[in-house]
Amino acid sequence: MRDVRTVRAPSMLRLAAAALAGTTVEFYDFFVYGTAAALVLGPLFFPTFSSVAGTLAAFATFGVGFVARPLGSVLFGHIGDRRGRRPVLLASLLLTGASTVAVGCVPTYDTIGVAAPVLLLVLRFLQGLGLGGEWGGAVLLTAEHAPAERRALWTSVPQVGPSLGFVLANGVMLALSAALSDAQFASWGWRVPFWAAGLMAVAGLWLRSSLAESPRFREIEDHARVPIAHVVRDHWRLVLLTAGALAVGYATFYAVTTWSLAYGTERLGVSRTVMLTCIMAAVVVKGSLTPLAALLGDRFGRRPLCLVGCAVSALWMFPMVALLATGAPLLMFLGFLGALLAFITMFAVIAVYLAELYEPRVRCTGAAVGYNLGGVVGGALTPIVATALAERGGAVPWGVAAYLTGVALLSLGCFALLPETRPVRVMATEAAAG
């Protein structure tokens, strides 16, 4: 059997780069929909609704993608635990890319009536299904190749993909928003980022086609026949705890990147360009610091960083909402940055943490289901709940801050009940050296 410690750095670089390329493409696909939902999908696909109701309806289709993600985890997790991690990377990327391109081709409500939002709903579901498999395959393939003493660092590389995907998605939206009139952007400009997903998916598939299967997977002799049944029977408590623990990360990220975009443009009257620039700048800083936070996870452990990030999130939600309500670009940026730094303190090590929490024979299913159920609790509901709470609030939407703080406290409790997973031999080596 091959020892994962024999994998050399150049091989790890190629593997991590391919995993990063794929997660970037898939999260680009997912985020470009969220941005479009905040900016234009409401009036185009739900024109009979009021402005707020149209935004809520658009965010509801956004949330469907999160509901589909655990189902994608079960489907692709079964493949990953039975056939290998590599096939998951190719199939999930193909599904997400194709459904994203199709979103850009859907006629609006004025052209085909109620069929337009129905098609949007179906394609968003397929997007979520593909992304539900993507994360588990990319992260596990990296984790199961990586040396134990730097496992958090290497698994943080594909975790940078969401930041890059977000910046690409919103960068394209920002450029189009600045270059086109409002009428042109609403007519066809918003479709361009969806069409671009096709070219990006082809590039990602090419990069991933040469990846080798995980050595840890090849060592497994007793594969679970039905991995999800094994997970539900033997790991249900772990799944619920990881889902609850991850909820704050999703709630924070989508409060910043999706809800605040709609709130800033619709309620505060801030231009799309200013809001996108503030959010993108905060996301760039967050993505840049991801490997550093992962190094801390290799040094001090996974659970301590998660507890710190969660506690800071709970303390920062009220200041973040207050800074957003000012409508001042610099203050909004600082509010977003503080929230995302707390977020990445946790999520830089989440990939390795989940991979180490679940046993190898059901790791692809268990880790991905826990990760994506957290998305349902934190990501799917946050834009909808926050929009409804802000509508009932005053000049400062304190209800949104209270909701986000509550989610952070829930996650803090779940993290407190999870064990540390940092490899024992790494800790023993450091103790001997000290």
Side-chain angles (χ1 to χ4, degrees):
M1 287 186 281
R2 184 183 178 188
D3 188 338
V4 296
R5 288 173 293 177
T6 63
V7 179
R8 296 181 178 180
S11 298
M12 283 305 306
L13 282 172
R14 288 194 296 270
L15 174 66
L20 172 62
T23 54
T24 298
V25 172
E26 294 221 35
F27 278 93
Y28 166 90
D29 295 349
F30 206 71
F31 291 146
V32 79
Y33 189 100
T35 304
L39 296 179
V40 296
L41 295 187
L44 292 177
F45 288 87
F46 305 94
T48 59
F49 291 15
S50 68
S51 175
V52 172
T55 300
L56 283 169
F59 280 151
T61 62
F62 175 74
V64 166
F66 284 97
V67 175
R69 283 172 66 168
L71 300 178
S73 300
V74 173
L75 172 63
F76 289 104
H78 184 91
I79 298 171
D81 286 323
R82 294 283 298 169
R83 303 297 177 188
R85 318 316 191 194
R86 183 177 175 274
V88 172
L89 296 184
L90 301 175
S92 62
L93 181 56
L94 182 62
L95 176 60
T96 307
S99 57
T100 302
V101 173
V103 169
C105 300
V106 176
T108 62
Y109 186 94
D110 289 341
T111 304
I112 60 173
V114 73
V118 171
L119 284 173
L120 206 62
L121 198 69
V122 171
L123 292 171
R124 180 60 176 174
F125 181 87
L126 293 176
Q127 260 192 335
L129 205 66
L131 193 58
E134 159 63 29
W135 183 87
V139 164
L140 293 188
L141 197 65
T142 307
E144 292 177 346
H145 275 89
E149 65 274 10
R150 285 291 178 262
R151 193 176 291 148
L153 175 62
W154 285 114
T155 54
S156 75
V157 176
Q159 285 292 80
V160 178
S163 297
L164 291 177
F166 180 85
V167 171
L168 284 173
N170 287 275
V172 174
M173 284 286 192
L174 181 61
L176 290 167
S177 180
L180 302 175
S181 67
D182 287 346
Q184 290 172 322
F185 185 79
S187 175
W188 58 268
W190 68 272
R191 298 181 184 273
V192 174
F194 291 92
W195 296 336
L199 295 175
M200 297 174 65
V202 170
L205 288 169
W206 177 75
L207 284 170
R208 288 184 165 186
S209 62
S210 61
L211 292 181
E213 184 51 78
S214 156
R216 188 66 188 91
F217 174 79
R218 293 198 300 266
E219 293 173 357
I220 299 172
E221 297 177 356
D222 180 25
H223 295 280
R225 174 169 251 176
V226 184
I228 186 59
H230 187 94
V231 169
V232 171
R233 184 182 68 246
D234 298 333
H235 300 291
W236 61 270
R237 182 176 179 273
L238 181 57
V239 169
L240 293 179
L241 284 176
T242 52
L246 299 183
V248 64
Y250 283 101
T252 299
F253 191 82
Y254 288 101
V256 169
T257 62
T258 302
W259 168 73
S260 66
L261 180 58
Y263 181 82
T265 55
E266 294 175 6
R267 292 289 299 275
L268 301 179
V270 181
S271 73
R272 287 195 302 259
T273 302
V274 170
M275 288 303 303
L276 286 172
T277 301
C278 291
I279 295 169
M280 285 174 60
V283 171
V284 167
V285 176
K286 182 221 37 155
S288 302
L289 294 178
T290 299
L292 175 60
L295 280 173
L296 295 175
D298 277 325
R299 178 66 181 87
F300 298 106
R302 294 55 161 130
R303 184 170 173 268
L305 260 71
C306 291
L307 291 172
V308 169
C310 232
V312 174
S313 294
L315 294 172
W316 188 249
M317 293 301 102
F318 277 90
M320 183 196 79
V321 169
L323 291 169
L324 169 64
T326 66
L330 179 59
L331 295 179
M332 290 192 297
F333 164 74
L334 292 175
F336 298 153
L337 180 61
L340 291 182
L341 290 181
F343 162 86
I344 204 54
T345 303
M346 296 175 279
F347 269 57
V349 297
I350 280 300
V352 67
Y353 198 14
L354 292 187
E356 292 170 346
L357 281 170
Y358 289 87
E359 61 177 300
R361 65 197 297 259
V362 294
R363 181 174 286 161
C364 197
T365 300
V369 169
Y371 183 85
N372 287 298
L373 279 177
V376 175
V377 177
L381 296 178
T382 293
I384 299 171
V385 173
T387 299
L389 290 173
E391 180 64 15
R392 298 188 182 95
V396 180
W398 296 121
V400 177
Y403 167 74
L404 294 173
T405 302
V407 176
L409 293 175
L410 167 68
S411 295
L412 185 64
C414 291
F415 274 124
L417 295 173
L418 288 171
E420 178 57 73
T421 63
R422 189 164 168 242
V424 174
R425 69 177 181 83
V426 175
M427 292 188 284
T429 300
E430 290 178 351

